[in-house]
Amino acid sequence: MATIRFKVNGKEKVVDTHTTKTLLDVLRDDLYLTGSKECCGKGECGSCSVMINDEVVCSCLVLVGQVEGEDIKTVEGVGTSTNMDIIQEAFIKEGATQCGYCTPGFIVAARSFLNKIEKVPTLEEIEEGIAGNICRCTGYTKIVKAIQTAAEERFSRIGAAVTQGNLQGKGD
Amino acid sequence: MTSKWIGKRVPRLDGPERVTGELKYMTDYHYNNMVWGRVLRPPYPYAKIKSMDTTRAKNLPGVIAVLTHEDIPGFNGFGIVVPDQPVLCEDVVRTTADAVALVAAETEEIAEEALALIDVDYERLDAVTDAEFAITEQAPKLHADGNIHSHVVIKNGEVEKAFQEADIILENTFHSPRQMHAFIETEGGWGILEKDGTLTIQCPGQYAYRDRLQIARALAWNPARIRVISSPVGGAFGGKDEITVQIYLALLALHTGGRPVKIHYKREESVIAGMKRHPFKVKMKTAAKKDGTLLANQVLAIADTGAYASLGGAVISLAIEHSCGPYKIPNVDLEGYCVYTNNGIAGAFRGFGVNQVCMGIETHMDMIAAELGIDPIEIRKKNVYHQGDVSSLGHVVKGSVGTWKTLEAAEKCDLWINREKYKAEISEPWKKRGVSIATSFHGVGMGIGLPDYGAASIQLLPGGRFEVGVGCEEIGGGNGTVYAQVAAEILQCDVTDIVVVQGDTSRTLDGGTVTASRSTYTGGRAVATAAPNMLNLLTKAAGEIFGVSEEQVRVADKKVVVYDADGKADSSLSFAEIYDYLYENRRDTRVEGHFMLPKEKKEIKGSGGAPHRLYGYLTHVVMVEVDTLTGETEVLRVVSIPDAGKVINPQGLEGQAEGGAVMGIGYALYEDTIIENGYHKTTNFSNYILPTVKDSPQIETFPVEELEETGPFGAKGIGEVVMIPIIAATISAIHDAVGVRIKHLPATPERVYAALKARKDQTNQSNEENVM
Ligand code: FES
Ligand code: FES
């Protein structure tokens, strides 16, 4: 057992646990952040996706000892039902969630993707951004559309901010 | 009548909690003081249990309970139709998916360790791994009644005579894969013995009331003492229709002193223990006249149900019922066997046997069309039955039939009209493109012989909102939003005024399963039956309050309006005010609606439940590109043309059509759970290839609406047929592209490559022969 400190969604967390426990298990069992799901436990499906310092990783493949001092963002940190992120709004609008079990992983991957792009992405770029996530329900069409919608929204907001000479943050 | 909510793209009402991760699935709950449960599986696919000793496991510190068959208070078996699967095996194991013992422990690790300390002495037996062999006399009998679980036959007309008169006869054998549901949420949940002695089981499922019955039977308890909460579900597709872990949870919960027990399978355990799609061998012989008129169809289908029946009997019945496609073939001889082997367990899966036979008849339609030089859509149009026609099974089809319209829409879609142009736009010189179509259908509801009903409750809530309760679980398709749309349409309120509750035996009525493409149709119709009762309740209350007759009161635009003698609106009350009145007078605020599904009166003898009263129909147009160097196939475009009757929510329908198409592509091209000699070679998603976004084509959905008079606002069901014709269409498109027909699915690169090579060798050979 060891005491491990790291940040989750902007808050300091201290957990006493085995250093070999996966980050996913710690998030779910110790911190009760159950948005991240386990599906394959082997890095094949992306339903456990979280961001570590803005990079998307499969939290089922990361041992908690490895994230000592790091900054982690889970789906719970992307937005809440009373204060949703544009990507979450777009998923609902476009019908990109069905059973929803894969959805948090897609939201994290899509949010990270949106953070990195500098222009409205092509369909191929969007597909690349979520190629590590599996969804068994939707057939992906509406997920891709949702990310496109959110990206367009993001850049139209930035566009508006630029014309107003007021570009702060990322525009979303 | 203009609709406010029906036919509208209403976004999922439960969307916000899904996209934020706030929604708690059953396996997301946390209880302090919990214990972990695990299941011991046998190391052999077929063996006698000579002895079992749990002493060492029980003595391991941290172990709370170790249970075997001796600890089952009631009936040691489960299974939806025939309960032939032991909860915990006693003297024989028939598959590595069997359960032998259960452990509850302080941690998952201790539970795992304890499993290894259970001493079981097995005597290995020779496994039966081939379904055709299993039928023979030489095969060891896996169950007391032998290895044939069910045998169905449908005969009509004179097949032999027709074969003699036919101008063209085709005969082929098709093999289909053991597809895995691969729901993203593996099986799991909680068992809790409450302080009052009742039991709560929180476990995703597809029919809470039936799960409760099966649990109660194993426990020898009154079902009323058990509460099953089964919704929401992280994907099911039929794979959570049967009992998964509910009975294990219940048994363990009786031995943990009230501490909640959790089981949550790792994917590896789910792959072994979970049900799969029945692999089929389908022999089909089809005859036609020169002008393309179908004359006869002869089918022999053998389904491998693995060690236990579950719904295997119903699967083979449905397969045989659908084996002639939505066509009228006057002479048929259709026969199916559902057979026990030691190959895991197969059960319900989206499509329910129809996928396997559709591949046969639709491939034959294509081959006949090609041989006779008839357009593939024309030949289908020529042979389809219409509402009121006699089907191949010999019954008059009474429900709405949209096949012809879907074919016509296919004929007019851009992909079909411009197919030669699109086929020419190959991405590499060594790749080839093909475009093809296929059509199919799928029964809605249970067929003859099984109870089939829907039920819904509506309760007026404080503040004037309504709680709509429907037993049917939310397994992903968005039926909850459909129920809210139906309720809001009739109750004249906003969909956001509707709170939907699903899948909880203490809060919802028994309204049947979320299977058989039935939950929109049945649940929707039940809500549409309950809602007028709520209108009555509201108008009656308003009449009392104002002292006027009920006829003067109507519900309109979120209120109850009282009209004067001239028919002018006089005064009104909000639903909230009505609630307050009812509450103050201690009056009931809840109504119910019940609906019996219409059925055919006469069962076709020997068919095991055919025909259905109602079918959903669908045509797919597919374009593929095949790499002639590697044999790899990519599906580039799909047009999905469903006849779902009235479409209640176009966005939800598209969601089904898109998800179903991609699942069908997986079936056609990649997916197969490999079991060799009774052992699963497939372990996880690393060696079970699921379609990713990269494999997902451009999908367009163009519904035709052939209204069904018995459905809610004319709706039918579509949840299964959305994945069916695409399988045959994809395989035919491969043929269109490169000239080879793959009859053993999935059409992996290896199989396509081998077929291409065989054809090349053959051509070379005949060239050489020509030279000589
Ligand atoms: S659970 Fe982590 S990638 Fe599947
Ligand atoms: S919505 Fe069910 S797996 Fe993606």
Side-chain angles (χ1 to χ4, degrees):
Chain A
M1 296 284 272
T3 302
I4 312 219
R5 287 160 207 277
F6 51 98
K7 258 196 196 167
V8 181
N9 301 329
K11 292 201 197 85
E12 286 293 340
K13 299 283 173 189
V14 184
V15 287
D16 289 314
T17 183
H18 292 285
T19 49
T20 53
K21 197 164 172 177
T22 66
L23 174 60
L24 177 61
D25 282 347
V26 170
L27 289 171
R28 288 179 58 87
D29 301 345
D30 299 66
L31 303 174
Y32 309 136
L33 293 168
T34 54
S36 312
K37 310 293 183 198
E38 175 161 333
C39 155
C40 70
K42 289 282 188 296
E44 301 282 351
C45 73
S47 59
C48 60
S49 297
V50 301
M51 286 180 241
I52 303 182
N53 303 324
D54 284 337
E55 285 302 320
V56 180
V57 299
C58 297
S59 63
C60 72
L61 293 183
V62 178
L63 303 180
V64 66
Q66 293 174 278
V67 298
E68 170 96 58
E70 305 288 354
D71 206 341
I72 290 153
K73 190 178 223 171
T74 69
V75 66
E76 288 91 346
V78 176
T80 61
S81 54
T82 47
N83 182 23
M84 278 191 277
D85 184 70
I86 52 166
I87 187 62
Q88 293 167 318
E89 282 167 353
F91 261 60
I92 298 173
K93 177 167 174 256
E94 303 294 351
T97 178
Q98 286 190 25
C99 84
Y101 209 76
C102 71
T103 308
F106 273 97
I107 292 289
V108 169
R111 180 67 269 178
S112 162
F113 172 75
L114 291 178
N115 287 347
K116 288 183 185 144
I117 52 174
E118 271 146 22
K119 56 170 181 43
V120 175
T122 63
L123 289 184
E124 287 71 39
E125 287 166 337
I126 294 176
E127 288 185 1
E128 200 55 48
I130 53 165
N133 293 67
I134 289 176
C135 172
R136 190 56 156 167
C137 297
T138 64
Y140 304 100
T141 310
K142 295 196 182 322
I143 295 178
V144 171
K145 183 80 198 342
I147 298 172
Q148 196 180 25
T149 302
E152 278 162 10
E153 175 126 333
R154 187 191 143 183
F155 287 103
S156 72
R157 280 192 202 173
I158 289 183
V162 170
T163 13
Q164 289 161 19
N166 173 26
L167 180 57
Q168 275 181 359
K170 287 193 180 121
D172 43 48
Chain B
M1 189 183 85
T2 56
S3 302
K4 187 148 179 237
W5 299 108
I6 301 300
K8 299 287 153 38
R9 297 180 79 84
V10 177
R12 290 281 292 256
L13 297 173
D14 52 4
E17 68 235 59
R18 281 171 196 266
V19 299
T20 53
E22 287 166 21
L23 180 67
K24 292 278 180 211
Y25 296 83
M26 295 306 132
T27 45
D28 289 335
Y29 284 92
H30 175 85
Y31 297 98
N32 290 328
N33 204 24
M34 66 161 288
V35 307
W36 278 96
R38 287 293 306 264
V39 184
L40 180 69
R41 315 250 169 223
Y44 310 116
Y46 191 32
K48 269 192 195 137
I49 297 178
K50 287 168 46 189
S51 66
M52 221 186 296
D53 185 354
T54 58
T55 322
R56 290 198 304 143
K58 280 181 174 153
N59 289 339
L60 182 72
V63 169
I64 295 155
V66 182
L67 308 180
T68 68
H69 64 92
E70 288 176 0
D71 302 292
I72 298 171
F75 175 67
N76 183 11
F78 67 93
I80 291 172
V81 179
V82 182
D84 61 2
Q85 180 167 356
V87 176
L88 295 172
C89 295
E90 185 176 345
D91 42 22
V92 59
V93 297
R94 298 182 184 86
T95 162
T96 52
D98 264 322
V100 174
L102 304 172
V103 169
E106 294 293 341
T107 68
E108 212 176 354
E109 293 75 16
I110 296 173
E112 168 116 32
E113 215 181 316
L115 292 182
L117 296 176
I118 300 172
D119 299 303
V120 189
D121 192 8
Y122 295 99
E123 180 190 324
R124 291 188 62 174
L125 300 168
D126 285 338
V128 180
T129 59
D130 181 87
E132 272 180 301
F133 171 69
I135 298 180
T136 62
E137 278 303 312
Q138 305 93 284
K141 302 272 167 283
L142 302 180
H143 289 271
D145 291 344
N147 295 339
I148 298 177
H149 167 59
S150 79
H151 176 214
V152 290
V153 179
I154 297 179
K155 280 188 202 234
N156 202 15
E158 292 178 68
V159 174
E160 285 312 326
K161 196 160 152 252
F163 282 138
Q164 277 162 23
E165 289 164 6
D167 296 316
I168 173 171
I169 296 177
L170 282 163
E171 194 168 0
N172 284 289
T173 302
F174 303 90
H175 295 265
S176 69
R178 184 182 282 107
Q179 192 178 30
M180 173 154 63
H181 303 75
F183 29 66
I184 300 299
E185 176 196 37
T186 56
E187 301 87 338
W190 292 90
I192 306 164
L193 185 63
E194 308 285 354
K195 290 206 176 63
D196 63 1
T198 62
L199 196 57
T200 303
I201 303 296
Q202 289 179 291
C203 181
Q206 296 182 245
Y207 188 7
Y209 277 87
R210 190 179 56 208
D211 294 344
R212 184 173 81 159
L213 192 77
Q214 296 217 58
I215 299 164
R217 192 166 57 189
L219 263 46
W221 274 32
N222 183 339
R225 284 176 63 200
I226 304 167
R227 176 183 182 189
V228 174
I229 307 171
S230 52
S231 192
V233 185
F237 314 110
K240 291 170 184 168
D241 197 14
E242 185 59 88
I243 285 291
T244 58
V245 297
Q246 293 90 340
I247 302 178
Y248 308 146
L249 291 167
L251 288 169
L252 286 172
L254 301 184
H255 292 87
T256 57
R259 296 173 67 184
V261 191
K262 180 181 192 178
I263 292 177
H264 193 181
Y265 287 174
K266 295 283 177 203
R267 180 61 60 182
E268 287 79 2
E269 187 168 11
S270 171
V271 168
I272 291 174
M275 309 244 159
K276 305 288 178 296
R277 189 186 293 286
H278 289 78
F280 271 48
K281 182 173 173 183
V282 178
K283 282 190 199 162
M284 192 175 283
K285 185 173 172 186
T286 311
K289 286 203 270 196
K290 256 200 225 90
D291 67 354
T293 309
L294 292 172
L295 276 183
N297 199 29
Q298 190 171 44
V299 175
L300 174 63
I302 298 172
D304 180 354
T305 198
Y308 302 106
S310 187
L311 281 166
V315 166
I316 195 72
S317 297
L318 221 72
I320 292 308
E321 176 182 352
H322 291 74
S323 62
C324 295
Y327 306 116
K328 31 185 190 190
I329 310 180
N331 305 288
V332 302
D333 176 2
L334 317 169
E335 188 173 14
Y337 288 92
C338 182
V339 180
Y340 292 117
T341 66
N342 298 111
N343 296 329
I345 310 167
F349 196 159
R350 192 184 213 176
F352 214 79
V354 184
N355 320 51
Q356 294 93 324
V357 291
C358 169
M359 175 63 198
I361 186 69
E362 286 304 282
T363 302
H364 277 184
M365 291 307 279
D366 235 60
M367 294 171 87
I368 294 169
E371 193 107 337
L372 298 176
I374 305 175
D375 176 86
I377 295 186
E378 272 323 302
I379 194 169
R380 287 172 169 89
K381 274 178 153 180
K382 191 179 181 76
N383 286 287
V384 296
Y385 62 72
H386 298 267
Q387 188 170 22
D389 280 354
V390 175
S391 78
S392 301
L393 312 183
H395 83 293
V396 176
V397 182
K398 300 186 189 67
S400 82
V401 181
T403 312
W404 202 86
K405 275 194 190 167
T406 65
L407 289 167
E408 195 163 58
E411 211 163 18
K412 289 186 182 143
C413 78
D414 166 62
L415 177 56
W416 187 255
I417 292 176
N418 298 310
R419 59 189 185 281
E420 293 308 328
K421 171 175 150 264
Y422 292 123
K423 273 159 66 174
E425 294 169 356
I426 44 170
S427 66
E428 305 285 355
W430 58 89
K431 293 189 176 178
K432 291 205 159 125
R433 289 185 173 190
V435 174
S436 195
I437 84 136
T439 193
S440 191
F441 65 145
H442 200 284
V444 177
M446 297 296 167
I448 298 169
L450 287 167
D452 210 356
Y453 42 83
S457 58
I458 303 181
Q459 182 155 16
L460 179 60
L461 301 175
R465 297 177 83 204
F466 299 98
E467 179 181 290
V468 169
V470 182
C472 294
E473 288 79 2
E474 170 54 78
I475 61 174
N479 54 6
T481 302
V482 163
Y483 300 149
Q485 285 176 262
V486 170
E489 184 74 35
I490 301 173
L491 297 174
Q492 304 264 323
C493 61
D494 277 340
V495 276
T496 49
D497 293 328
I498 309 288
V499 185
V500 180
V501 181
Q502 299 176 260
D504 180 342
T505 55
S506 70
R507 295 179 71 194
T508 55
L509 297 165
D510 181 354
T513 62
V514 184
T515 63
S517 306
R518 74 190 284 285
S519 92
T520 290
Y521 174 77
T522 314
R525 176 71 192 262
V527 174
T529 311
N533 298 338
M534 178 50 76
L535 291 178
N536 279 342
L537 186 134
L538 296 168
T539 51
K540 202 159 163 231
E544 278 174 31
I545 295 169
F546 288 108
V548 297
S549 83
E550 277 170 56
E551 287 77 67
Q552 282 173 261
V553 186
R554 273 212 308 277
V555 173
D557 196 19
K558 298 189 218 176
K559 12 181 219 302
V560 189
V561 185
V562 180
Y563 295 85
D564 63 19
D566 304 329
K568 281 217 327 243
D570 191 21
S571 44
S572 68
L573 286 171
S574 68
F575 296 154
E577 288 168 309
I578 303 267
Y579 175 85
D580 292 341
Y581 168 79
L582 292 169
Y583 181 76
E584 275 156 26
N585 291 284
R586 297 298 179 269
R587 297 264 292 279
D588 204 0
T589 58
R590 184 174 173 279
V591 298
E592 293 183 0
H594 297 263
F595 167 57
M596 297 300 288
L597 260 80
K599 294 217 184 223
E600 286 294 328
K601 298 226 162 41
K602 221 174 108 220
E603 180 176 347
I604 295 167
K605 212 174 127 243
S607 71
H612 282 70
R613 165 69 174 66
L614 191 63
Y615 300 87
Y617 299 84
L618 192 143
T619 295
H620 274 126
V621 186
V622 175
M623 176 162 75
V624 303
E625 187 170 74
V626 184
D627 186 324
T628 57
L629 300 180
T630 63
E632 229 169 326
T633 303
E634 196 181 345
V635 178
L636 300 175
R637 278 183 71 178
V638 173
V639 180
S640 177
I641 309 168
D643 159 33
K646 176 71 193 169
V647 178
I648 294 185
N649 186 330
Q651 189 178 66
L653 176 87
E654 287 164 15
Q656 286 297 299
E658 291 160 9
V662 171
M663 193 179 255
I665 291 169
Y667 177 118
L669 299 181
Y670 334 106
E671 296 184 36
D672 199 2
T673 310
I674 307 294
I675 299 182
E676 278 173 21
N677 300 322
Y679 296 95
H680 291 71
K681 296 291 161 188
T682 301
T683 54
N684 198 323
F685 294 167
S686 38
N687 47 22
Y688 186 87
I689 307 304
L690 290 161
T692 71
V693 69
K694 299 263 188 183
D695 310 303
S696 164
Q698 178 194 339
I699 305 169
E700 296 163 290
T701 305
F702 303 123
V704 302
E705 297 182 312
E706 199 62 36
L707 298 194
E708 166 56 37
E709 58 175 15
T710 63
F713 298 94
K716 298 197 278 192
I718 208 71
E720 295 175 272
V721 71
V722 287
M723 78 163 292
I724 298 175
I726 191 167
I727 297 163
T730 301
I731 303 300
S732 286
I734 294 176
H735 178 262
D736 186 41
V738 294
V740 296
R741 283 212 186 267
I742 307 298
K743 294 167 200 157
H744 193 146
L745 300 195
T748 55
E750 291 84 351
R751 287 193 177 127
V752 175
Y753 179 80
L756 286 169
K757 186 160 180 301
R759 201 191 46 168
K760 206 165 143 197
D761 292 349
Q762 217 174 27
T763 339
N764 288 347
Q765 210 178 6
S766 58
N767 285 350
E768 275 167 34
E769 278 162 17
N770 287 347
V771 174
M772 286 194 303

